[in-house]
Amino acid sequence: MRAIVCRQFGPIDDLVVEDRPSPDLFPSCVRIAVNACGVNFVDALFVQGKYQIKPPTPFVPGMEVVGRVTEVAPDVEGIAVGTRVFANVGLGGFASEAVVAAKRVMVLPDNLSDGQAATFMQSYLTAWFALVERARVEAGKWLLVIGAGSGVGLGAVDVGHALGLRVIAVASTDEKRRLATERGADAVIDSRLTPDEIKEKAKEISGGGVDYIYDPVGGELGETSLRALTDDGQYLVIGFVGGIPRLPANQVLLRNRRVTGVDWGGWAGKNPALNDRMLAQVLELIAQGRLRPVEPVTYALDDAARALHDLEDRKVAGKIALVP
């Protein structure tokens, strides 16, 4: 098989392409010929040794794969060779095939393309976990999504709209704002404005303040956007692409605002049954057409390093998938 390998933690450009023997098929597992693998910001963190979990090297990055089952272990029931499936492999997705535990494999709705299926899970389950499990949002309230042109941001816009929220999307280009509008954003703001201007526009659009902020960016924009919250508003900490924000505690106290951490990955590892239920809920809404994951930009498998760079540099609207 062909695979992208991180031999040691370091620059993304140190990734190498290798032809490797096919992995062994272990009991209770299936083999998948990979049609597409999602590319996420966390993959770049893994490669550079910047993530809190550091796998032993060498390793193959990549978490979300879609493909056809080509082999099934003798003790596996209910999955047939030839079935198109999705799987979260943890690591090992940037390859032409993958072996994964059968219990982690799911048959896909027909209305999801390979690219959509390979790129929806992290974004949509993070958004669902944040808005439903952590924030317990109420329909009709205002949600401000920062970084709304990214895959994680677009997922939040789509989920927020499906939950009946009024969504304001902050994104940097016409293309990213168009994608957010197509997924239900009620209003958009150009993220190239100053943080103060973005804050004031959000307050103006929402009639005085938003009820929830979904922030995968952080940095100065996150610090300033906190002030766009209304009384008892909730700031959801998703990530720190723009740096870890220094949230002013006095602004939390004086308006009874709440700051809530959102670590879907860590929670899912501790609560697999609840996570499976959440995934089933999201897939059902996708099957109904109420959620519409974006079609990703695709790169050849050998171009994994360029794909990760383009993701980090925010050159792509929406999601990226590698196609072996």
Side-chain angles (χ1 to χ4, degrees):
M1 72 172 188
R2 200 160 179 82
I4 304 299
V5 181
C6 176
R7 290 178 173 166
Q8 60 184 15
F9 299 122
I12 291 170
D13 289 330
D14 288 350
L15 288 171
V16 296
V17 184
E18 292 184 0
D19 288 314
R20 291 182 151 196
S22 294
D24 293 333
L25 181 68
F26 296 104
S28 304
C29 291
V30 301
R31 187 186 307 280
I32 300 171
V34 177
N35 293 340
C37 179
V39 179
N40 294 293
F41 188 78
V42 70
D43 297 320
L45 297 180
F46 267 121
V47 168
Q48 296 171 87
K50 295 180 179 179
Y51 195 61
Q52 55 262 38
I53 299 171
K54 294 180 173 57
T57 56
F59 67 92
V60 176
M63 295 184 293
E64 302 171 271
V65 301
V66 168
R68 296 278 177 183
V69 175
T70 59
E71 190 178 3
V72 178
D75 61 336
V76 172
E77 298 180 355
I79 301 176
V81 170
T83 305
R84 191 176 74 111
V85 296
F86 160 83
N88 178 6
V89 296
L91 289 171
F94 289 4
S96 58
E97 64 179 53
V99 170
V100 60
K103 66 182 180 180
R104 302 177 73 175
V105 170
M106 296 192 71
V107 178
L108 289 165
D110 291 336
N111 62 342
L112 273 182
S113 70
D114 287 343
Q116 289 172 308
T119 53
F120 85 93
M121 192 183 75
Q122 187 193 54
S123 299
Y124 276 75
L125 291 196
T126 297
W128 192 272
F129 178 61
L131 298 177
V132 176
E133 300 292 336
R134 301 294 287 145
R136 303 187 184 278
V137 297
E138 298 176 29
K141 291 195 171 184
W142 284 98
L143 168 67
L144 177 68
V145 179
I146 300 172
S150 68
V152 171
L154 281 173
V157 171
D158 202 6
V159 170
H161 173 70
L163 293 172
L165 297 172
R166 292 182 285 180
V167 182
I168 304 170
V170 182
S172 60
T173 68
D174 289 340
E175 172 70 3
K176 292 177 178 180
R177 292 189 290 273
R178 179 185 65 79
L179 286 173
T181 300
E182 288 178 355
R183 270 143 195 84
D186 296 271
V188 294
I189 299 174
D190 191 336
S191 65
R192 293 171 297 181
L193 298 174
T194 68
D196 276 324
E197 289 172 328
I198 292 171
K199 175 198 69 177
E200 291 303 322
K201 279 191 170 292
K203 291 171 69 175
E204 177 185 346
I205 293 167
S206 60
V210 298
D211 302 287
Y212 313 100
I213 295 177
Y214 188 94
D215 183 13
V217 176
E220 183 185 358
L221 179 55
E223 297 169 20
T224 304
S225 295
L226 176 71
R227 294 172 170 84
L229 282 173
T230 188
D231 289 0
D232 196 37
Q234 194 167 12
Y235 179 98
L236 296 162
V237 181
I238 311 299
F240 315 115
V241 175
I244 298 175
R246 298 176 180 271
L247 298 178
N250 63 317
Q251 289 293 325
V252 177
L253 183 150
L254 293 173
R255 301 286 298 276
N256 289 305
R257 293 162 170 149
R258 293 167 289 152
V259 178
T260 301
V262 178
D263 179 12
W264 163 69
W267 175 87
K270 297 174 184 176
N271 300 276
L274 292 175
N275 187 65
D276 288 346
R277 186 182 69 184
M278 192 167 69
L279 176 57
Q281 290 173 314
V282 170
L283 284 172
E284 177 62 24
L285 290 180
I286 291 173
Q288 294 173 6
R290 293 175 58 192
L291 290 176
R292 296 175 298 120
V294 67
E295 189 69 44
V297 177
T298 58
Y299 292 67
L301 180 66
D302 290 12
D303 292 331
R306 182 165 64 89
L308 287 169
H309 277 305
D310 288 352
L311 184 65
E312 282 200 318
D313 295 338
R314 306 181 201 178
K315 291 182 178 179
V316 174
K319 298 288 292 187
I320 294 175
L322 298 180
V323 179

